Amino acid sequence: MDLLQQTYLGDILYIMVQALLLPAVIVLLALVLYALWCIGSVVMEWATERRYYRVTMPELLDGIHEAKPDDLPRYIADSGLLGSQKEALLTLWDYRNLPVDSHIALAKRLIEEAEDHHVRVLQRTSTIAKVAPMLGLMGTLIPLGPGLVSLGQGNTLELSASLLVAFDTTVAGLVVAVVTYSITKV
């Protein structure tokens, strides 16, 4: 303890830690906005596509097989598939004159692109679900130091302000984590 007081290392550490509070709160606010955007995108996806997704693959494949070549794009567009699935099938239709090997390669590439898109979204929400509580904890612990000092000095107004920031950042971090974790699992 004497070494920390003699070399000012404690003061340097205090200044560094206090300087981290503002960036932690700003990032946490950005993550709250991102969580709200995620909720909106899930609701919009359900409202525009998922609730109409009533396709059984055997029936769809039979319909595609039985459809006349000129009617196939309309059949795909009117099917209950998701928009991205319709787009992929219509892309395959547009390149129907490719050799079989090239057509299969195109289909595989379209599937890989769709998988990559969904994996990126899931990785993003999964990472945020892990980082948000950490930022909430930072926002909790950083103001508690000055709050405890103010308690020792009898300054309850500063203590209450520190506790307010501490509890708000904790709740915000946990809410963001719950939302993004739920979206990742859904």
Side-chain angles (χ1 to χ4, degrees):
M1 192 66 157
D2 291 333
L3 178 65
L4 286 177
Q5 291 175 347
Q6 291 174 356
T7 60
Y8 302 105
L9 291 177
D11 292 339
I12 294 170
L13 188 59
Y14 175 80
I15 291 169
M16 278 182 18
V17 169
Q18 292 303 312
L20 291 174
L21 180 60
L22 184 61
V25 170
I26 290 172
V27 171
L28 201 51
L29 286 172
L31 293 180
V32 167
L33 293 175
Y34 179 76
L36 290 173
W37 181 81
C38 285
I39 291 171
S41 68
V42 167
V43 168
M44 287 303 298
E45 182 179 332
W46 178 82
T48 59
E49 290 193 8
R50 294 280 178 182
R51 70 180 176 150
Y52 300 114
Y53 185 72
R54 291 174 175 55
V55 175
T56 57
M57 279 302 144
E59 290 175 10
L60 177 72
L61 293 175
D62 287 343
I64 289 173
H65 183 67
E66 293 171 2
K68 295 178 184 176
D70 294 337
D71 295 336
L72 193 57
R74 188 177 47 78
Y75 180 78
I76 291 170
D78 293 342
S79 71
L81 291 172
L82 301 177
S84 58
Q85 295 169 336
K86 291 177 187 179
E87 184 179 324
L89 286 175
L90 290 174
T91 300
L92 286 173
W93 173 253
D94 290 341
Y95 292 97
R96 64 189 173 278
N97 294 328
L98 289 174
V100 173
D101 291 341
S102 298
H103 206 248
I104 290 172
L106 175 62
K108 287 180 181 179
R109 191 193 68 167
L110 291 171
I111 291 170
E112 288 172 2
E113 286 175 2
E115 286 178 349
D116 287 344
H117 169 73
H118 292 293
V119 164
R120 279 194 312 273
V121 170
L122 290 176
Q123 285 176 339
R124 192 178 313 131
T125 56
S126 176
T127 300
I128 290 172
K130 294 172 188 170
V131 169
M134 293 179 210
L135 290 170
L137 183 61
M138 282 178 62
T140 301
L141 295 176
I142 293 171
L144 285 183
L148 290 174
V149 170
S150 64
L151 176 64
Q153 297 170 346
N155 187 351
T156 57
L157 187 60
E158 188 176 331
L159 173 64
S160 62
S162 295
L163 289 175
L164 184 64
V165 171
F167 290 127
D168 289 347
T169 55
T170 301
V171 171
L174 292 175
V175 166
V176 169
V178 166
V179 167
T180 54
Y181 178 78
S182 300
I183 288 172
T184 300
K185 291 302 174 185
V186 169

